[in-house]
Amino acid sequence: MEILRRIDKGYRLIEQAKDKSERLMNVESIKRLKHELDLILKEENAIRVQVDQARTGLLIKEKQLSDVDRQLLSILEKLYESEHQNSKILQELKKQETILKDKKINLEDEIMKEFYIIEKFSKELNLFKSKYNKVEKQYNSKKISQHEKVAYLEDKIKLMEKKIRKLRKSADPDLLRLYDKKRQTMKVVFTRAENGVCEICHMTLSTSLIEKVENCSEIIECDCCNRILYLEEIKDNDETL
């Protein structure tokens, strides 16, 4: 019976260690930093989309400006060739030249605006990058610290599992089978009989039942909750069994 209780204690310690490990990896500070990183990345990506759109617009306007320059050059050549010809043709060419020059000025203004927009967004991206790196450093530092604690717990779990395997080899096979069967359906297999009462279900235990528990010669179950009864806690300070 003592071996079963030590095995049970080992399983409970493993569960506690696993719960603690899970909590360590889900602490609020890590979740907050991760959320902050996601938000920064989301905003950064939105700015990158605007930068890409501005660059695309810039390329289109630069191509339009190049086309206007070619058209102006063609007009100038025609003006030179038509200098001593019909004044009507000259007027029409001059009109086209004026329109193209106005269009060129507008395109150059728009191109400058696109440059300013790209420069503005580029500065914002640098700020976001700096902010992201700062938060990421905090996040990684926190994760490393937590991972070290988790790694320590995982080592303790492995040690407990090793000790449990050793204890199971020395346990009575029939009692072990009964314990394993109960453990499949119960989170808590053992319950203390304190002052004649089951500590889990608070059922009052008969005197004869208490006496059987005192003898410790066999497994005695609570008549109400069917958990295995014991009187005293295991007297050792080894939290790893």
Side-chain angles (χ1 to χ4, degrees):
M1 178 72 113
E2 181 74 9
I3 291 175
L4 284 186
R5 287 181 60 196
R6 290 178 71 82
I7 291 171
D8 186 67
K9 178 184 176 183
Y11 282 130
R12 282 186 287 112
L13 287 172
I14 286 173
E15 287 171 8
Q16 290 170 14
K18 286 181 177 178
D19 287 343
K20 188 174 181 179
S21 176
E22 188 175 344
R23 287 197 304 273
L24 282 170
M25 294 312 296
N26 288 285
V27 292
E28 195 59 38
S29 57
I30 288 182
K31 285 161 68 174
R32 178 181 56 78
L33 287 169
K34 181 64 170 66
H35 179 64
E36 192 174 348
L37 281 175
D38 290 341
L39 285 178
I40 294 170
L41 200 59
K42 186 177 179 181
E43 291 179 54
E44 185 181 336
N45 288 335
I47 292 173
R48 287 189 186 281
V49 169
Q50 290 176 296
V51 170
D52 290 341
Q53 289 173 346
R55 283 176 177 159
T56 301
L58 180 61
L59 289 172
I60 291 170
K61 288 178 175 64
E62 284 178 335
K63 185 178 183 303
Q64 290 173 346
L65 182 61
S66 179
D67 291 340
V68 168
D69 282 335
R70 279 196 297 270
Q71 291 174 47
L72 271 172
L73 182 60
S74 175
I75 293 289
L76 289 171
E77 288 173 350
K78 288 177 182 177
L79 280 170
Y80 178 77
E81 291 169 359
S82 307
E83 190 175 351
H84 303 294
Q85 294 180 16
N86 191 312
S87 60
K88 251 187 171 182
I89 295 173
L90 286 172
Q91 286 176 0
E92 182 60 31
L93 288 171
K94 286 284 186 184
K95 184 181 177 183
Q96 290 179 23
E97 181 187 22
T98 301
I99 291 170
L100 286 170
K101 281 182 177 178
D102 288 341
K103 189 174 181 181
K104 180 177 180 178
I105 290 169
N106 289 333
L107 281 169
E108 286 173 341
D109 287 342
E110 288 176 11
I111 285 170
M112 286 304 298
K113 286 177 184 176
E114 294 291 354
F115 272 121
Y116 285 135
I117 289 170
I118 291 170
E119 185 181 7
K120 174 177 171 286
F121 284 146
S122 295
K123 287 179 180 178
E124 286 186 23
L125 281 175
N126 287 333
L127 288 174
F128 272 107
K129 187 177 180 181
S130 176
K131 186 178 179 182
Y132 185 91
N133 289 340
K134 183 180 177 182
V135 176
E136 187 180 40
K137 187 177 179 181
Q138 294 174 353
Y139 175 70
N140 289 335
S141 175
K142 193 77 176 176
K143 272 185 72 177
I144 288 169
S145 174
Q146 299 302 84
H147 275 304
E148 287 173 351
K149 293 175 184 176
V150 169
Y152 170 78
L153 287 171
E154 286 175 349
D155 287 341
K156 299 294 278 186
I157 288 170
K158 287 177 184 176
L159 179 62
M160 290 179 209
E161 288 173 339
K162 184 178 178 181
K163 290 188 175 184
I164 287 172
R165 286 194 296 271
K166 186 177 178 181
L167 287 168
R168 288 179 68 91
K169 287 178 182 178
S170 60
D172 181 288
D174 292 332
L175 296 181
L176 189 60
R177 273 194 296 274
L178 177 61
Y179 167 78
D180 287 339
K181 187 176 179 181
K182 284 185 175 294
R183 194 165 173 271
Q184 288 174 6
T185 57
M186 297 178 179
K187 189 173 181 180
V188 179
V189 176
F190 284 89
T191 178
R192 187 176 180 183
E194 189 173 14
N195 298 323
V197 175
C198 171
E199 198 172 50
I200 298 292
C201 69
H202 308 296
M203 176 75 174
T204 300
L205 306 169
S206 66
T207 304
S208 60
L209 199 63
I210 295 294
E211 287 174 354
K212 287 180 181 178
V213 176
E214 286 175 344
N215 291 332
C216 262
S217 56
E218 57 182 311
I219 285 182
I220 306 300
E221 299 176 4
C222 171
D223 292 333
C224 180
C225 66
N226 296 320
R227 289 179 172 84
I228 301 171
L229 294 165
Y230 69 90
L231 292 178
E232 299 294 332
E233 293 290 351
I234 298 173
K235 293 181 180 180
D236 65 51
N237 297 319
D238 183 7
E239 287 304 310
T240 61
L241 297 182

